[in-house]
Amino acid sequence: MPHRPAELTPTPEFLGHGSARPLHWLATATAMAAVIAAAGLLQPDAAATGHAAASTAPASGPQAAAPDPAAVTYPLDCKGLPTAVTATAQGDLDGDGRPETVAAVRCDAGSGTPPHAIYVLAQDKTPGATPRVVATLLEAGKRQTATELTVRDGVVTASLIGYSSPQVPRYSPDVKQLAKWRWSGGKFRQELTNSDARSV
């Protein structure tokens, strides 16, 4: 008949913290040895763990470059004059993990201050694809000048300087607005804050 170790049953002497019997100490030592051995078997090997972590870590490849604003043809009617990109900012605007470029563009008239248009540029994942305009944030017809163009946390921000009426001289803009554009619900939504620009 196979031998099976006897279960330890607490005795009155044991519960009362009496003197322990040799059989009790032997059983306790055997149980502790079994627990320590089992813990050693379950402990992961440090070298194996480090190797597994290194093999399963995602490879960090080069990040996609933002579209080059100099490689884009802008939908700006300059009456035969060239266009000039005066400010740019880059960032992921739609959360797809690829950066877009925001460009402030105006006609290169050589004198005066032509109004700005602000465009969002994107580039397809296809190698060698040409950047293209995917959205217009500010139309040149608004007759505003854009300054301090930034992209932060997916929000485009620019200061817009303009005129309160056609009678205001072009050299003395009297309206300044802080404009913010955020991608939401499949389109860019604009927020405007007015401020005094008479000292500009």
Side-chain angles (χ1 to χ4, degrees), residues 74 84-89 102-106 116-119 146-147 149:
Y74 296 97
V85 177
T86 62
T88 61
V102 181
V105 186
R106 67 185 180 192
H116 274 108
I118 299 179
Y119 301 108
T147 63
L149 183 66

Side-chain angles (χ1 to χ4, degrees), residues 110-196:
S111 62
T113 307
H116 274 108
I118 299 179
Y119 301 108
V120 178
L121 315 178
Q123 190 164 353
D124 295 334
K125 296 180 181 179
T126 307
T130 302
R132 56 192 174 88
V133 174
V134 295
T136 301
L137 303 183
L138 177 68
E139 296 179 353
K142 298 286 187 181
R143 304 193 61 80
Q144 293 175 305
T145 301
T147 63
E148 302 172 13
L149 183 66
T150 63
V151 172
R152 182 174 298 169
D153 298 328
V155 178
V156 181
T157 303
S159 293
L160 304 179
I161 300 171
Y163 310 90
S164 60
S165 74
Q167 286 71 40
V168 176
R170 300 296 94 182
Y171 58 82
S172 182
D174 63 343
V175 173
K176 184 175 181 179
Q177 295 176 309
L178 179 65
K180 294 183 179 182
W181 295 270
R182 185 191 309 270
W183 180 259
S184 177
K187 64 180 181 179
F188 284 100
R189 300 182 184 276
Q190 185 188 56
E191 302 172 11
L192 288 174
T193 303
N194 293 327
S195 61
D196 185 8

